[in-house]
């Protein structure tokens, strides 16, 4: 990777979060026009920035704190990154650290998935079927020693309506996994926890207030 690629890649996160100056954006745009590799990198980062854009400040207040090892790792990375002699004002590193910490908080136990390594087992993609018009949903599952954690990434649930999530075990029992309010067209990412262990979990249902299945996931 030559120096200009390196500089550009360091700026991609800040760019997606709207943190670059106008001249920096112009330079970055010019480089991206001619560099498919950096464009691909930008595409990889985009979902993270989109997830951040969907975060309401009041949700952050209740987000679980990221584990200390992750904060340390992010700070180490920042400390070890060599700075060019004539560096522009350092305003983007804190922004990216903040972004990394927010992402870590959002994914909770799924830190390993974003960071590539970690104490948790990997996230597992779940086959999801939606049974209500307008609802779009995808889900992943993390097996824990205490049960499973389901992350539901969705939009189209009726705004303000409470939905209940149950996990179905292999004996056909349904066990509560929590509730959430629909957010309409706004995308939501919702973590749901249940005591059913991965080995016994057969699927999960999202139920509307009338008990109708709106989304079904196969586990
Ligand atoms: Zn490049």
């Amino acid at each position: 990777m030559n120096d200009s690629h390196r500089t550009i890649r360091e700026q991609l996160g800040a760019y997606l979060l709207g943190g670059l100056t106008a001249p920096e954006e112009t330079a970055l745009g010019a480089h991206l026009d001619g560099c498919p590799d950096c464009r691909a990198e930008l595409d990889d980062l985009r979902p993270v920035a989109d997830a951040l854009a969907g975060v309401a400040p009041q949700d952050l207040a209740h987000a679980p704190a990221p584990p200390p090892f992750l904060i340390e790792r992010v700070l180490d990375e920042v400390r070890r990154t060599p700075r060019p002699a004539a560096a522009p004002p350092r305003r983007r590193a804190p922004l990216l650290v903040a972004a990394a910490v927010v992402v870590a908080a959002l994914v909770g136990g799924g830190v390993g998935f974003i960071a590539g390594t970690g104490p948790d087992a990997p996230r597992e993609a779940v086959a999801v079927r939606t049974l209500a018009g307008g609802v779009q949903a995808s889900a992943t599952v993390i097996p824990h020693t205490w049960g499973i954690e389901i992350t539901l990434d969705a939009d189209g649930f009726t705004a303000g309506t409470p939905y209940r999530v149950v996990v179905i075990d292999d004996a056909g029992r349904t066990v509560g996994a929590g509730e959430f309010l629909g957010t309409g067209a706004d995308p939501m990412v919702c973590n749901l926890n249940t005591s059913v262990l991965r080995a016994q979990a057969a699927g999960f249902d999202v139920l509307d207030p009338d008990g109708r299945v709106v989304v079904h996931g196969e586990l």
Side-chain angles (χ1 to χ4, degrees), residues 109-190:
V111 165
F113 176 67
I114 296 285
T117 57
D120 273 315
R123 249 165 215 278
E124 184 188 325
V126 176
V128 167
R129 203 150 35 93
T130 61
L131 303 156
V135 173
Q136 303 211 22
S138 63
T140 55
V141 156
I142 307 172
H144 291 285
T145 51
W146 42 260
I148 56 173
E149 178 183 348
I150 301 168
T151 300
L152 186 63
D153 192 336
D155 61 63
F157 289 106
T158 308
T161 295
Y163 292 85
R164 207 156 55 83
V165 181
V166 295
V167 168
I168 302 122
D169 72 11
D170 53 11
R173 254 176 357 125
T174 58
V175 179
E179 299 184 0
F180 63 87
L181 281 180
T183 57
D186 292 334
M188 50 158 260
V189 177
C190 183

Side-chain angles (χ1 to χ4, degrees), residues 6-15 17-21 23-25 28 78 84 87-100:
R6 199 182 296 282
T7 307
I8 293 297
R9 297 213 174 169
E10 284 173 3
Q11 291 181 340
L12 291 176
Y15 168 69
L17 294 170
L20 290 187
T21 62
E24 282 171 333
E25 267 200 46
L28 183 125
V78 171
R90 302 286 301 172
R91 135 184 99 61
R92 89 186 54 99
L95 179 62
L96 287 181
V97 171

Side-chain angles (χ1 to χ4, degrees), residues 1-2 4-6 8-9 12 31-32 34-39 41:
M1 202 189 293
N2 67 30
S4 100
H5 283 299
R6 199 182 296 282
I8 293 297
R9 297 213 174 169
L12 291 176
H31 181 95
L32 288 178
C35 182
D37 286 351
C38 286
R39 282 205 302 274
E41 179 93 5

Side-chain angles (χ1 to χ4, degrees), residues 68-93:
F69 80 87
L70 184 86
I71 297 177
E72 257 323 294
R73 201 157 62 194
V74 171
L75 291 176
D76 268 358
E77 200 61 43
V78 171
R79 285 187 206 111
R80 271 186 289 129
T81 305
R83 300 180 185 188
R90 302 286 301 172
R91 135 184 99 61
R92 89 186 54 99

